[in-house]
Amino acid sequence: FVHGGMGEKFSTWKIEDINARLRLELSDWARAQVKSTQPQIRQPEVAYNPEGPLWYSELATVPEADLKAEVDRILANLGAKVMVIAHTPRIPDEKDMKRFDGKVWIIDTGISAVYGGRLSALIINSGEFRIWGEKNEKANTPGIPRSGFPADRAPFLWENPVGR
């Protein structure tokens, strides 16, 4: 599970080293914000790197044919079979979220109202991946709240037994 994805360069690092370096960079940045000083780390290696785990978006945006071999190398370097990424919103539909023959799953489905508020999830059960979304819910299911959405923006057509 990676926020943005991971390019080949960082896939050769140990996960513990990536996490340690990222913590150091973010802690340094946070201290600088509180103390209104310059961060001590002048050249962050991970936090702002476009190939790093926070910002790498090519697994979501580049045509699959252009990256197929690279994805296989990245996963091999990590000792992983699948990578689950976010950061690049997709429509909650398997054809848009599943890439590289199911080796990469994009789980940012624009759940924020800014992107349309589509509630969705990736369900991983016994090694099987499936998408849960609005179309999987029954309309007018009694007893399920609207989750605080105004009536005209509710993501589902729930019946509210308590009233409004």
Side-chain angles (χ1 to χ4, degrees):
F1 291 86
V2 185
H3 176 74
M6 189 170 301
E8 194 166 359
K9 171 187 171 182
F10 283 98
S11 73
T12 62
W13 286 36
K14 290 180 182 178
I15 298 295
E16 296 83 4
D17 293 344
I18 292 172
N19 287 339
R21 181 62 193 199
L22 188 55
R23 278 188 199 100
L24 178 68
E25 292 176 16
L26 293 176
S27 294
D28 182 54
W29 180 83
R31 276 192 304 276
Q33 299 305 306
V34 170
K35 296 180 180 180
S36 298
T37 61
Q38 289 286 70
Q40 293 178 2
I41 299 172
R42 297 290 179 214
Q43 302 221 339
E45 291 180 74
V46 180
Y48 302 107
N49 193 313
E51 292 183 48
L54 297 182
W55 304 112
Y56 187 73
S57 63
E58 289 186 17
L59 298 177
T61 59
V62 172
E64 290 184 40
D66 295 350
L67 283 182
K68 186 174 179 2
E70 184 175 338
V71 166
D72 289 339
R73 288 191 305 270
I74 289 168
L75 292 174
N77 290 342
L78 294 169
K81 294 178 184 175
V82 176
M83 185 180 299
V84 178
I85 63 175
H87 184 66
T88 306
R90 295 289 189 168
I91 297 167
D93 187 304
E94 185 169 313
K95 69 179 173 54
D96 292 315
M97 296 172 68
K98 176 180 169 181
R99 299 198 79 208
F100 305 99
D101 298 319
K103 294 176 185 175
V104 174
W105 286 84
I106 306 165
I107 60 169
D108 186 340
T109 60
I111 200 168
S112 165
V114 172
Y115 294 104
R118 293 180 297 267
L119 298 180
S120 56
L122 175 65
I123 298 174
I124 306 170
N125 188 3
S126 300
E128 296 291 320
F129 290 65
R130 68 183 175 89
I131 305 301
W132 174 91
E134 292 180 23
K135 67 184 178 186
N136 301 105
E137 291 295 324
K138 294 179 184 174
N140 298 316
T141 304
I144 300 185
R146 286 176 134 24
S147 302
F149 281 82
D152 62 336
R153 302 243 357 244
F156 306 109
L157 300 173
W158 301 124
E159 181 180 297
N160 188 341
V162 183
R164 295 179 196 227

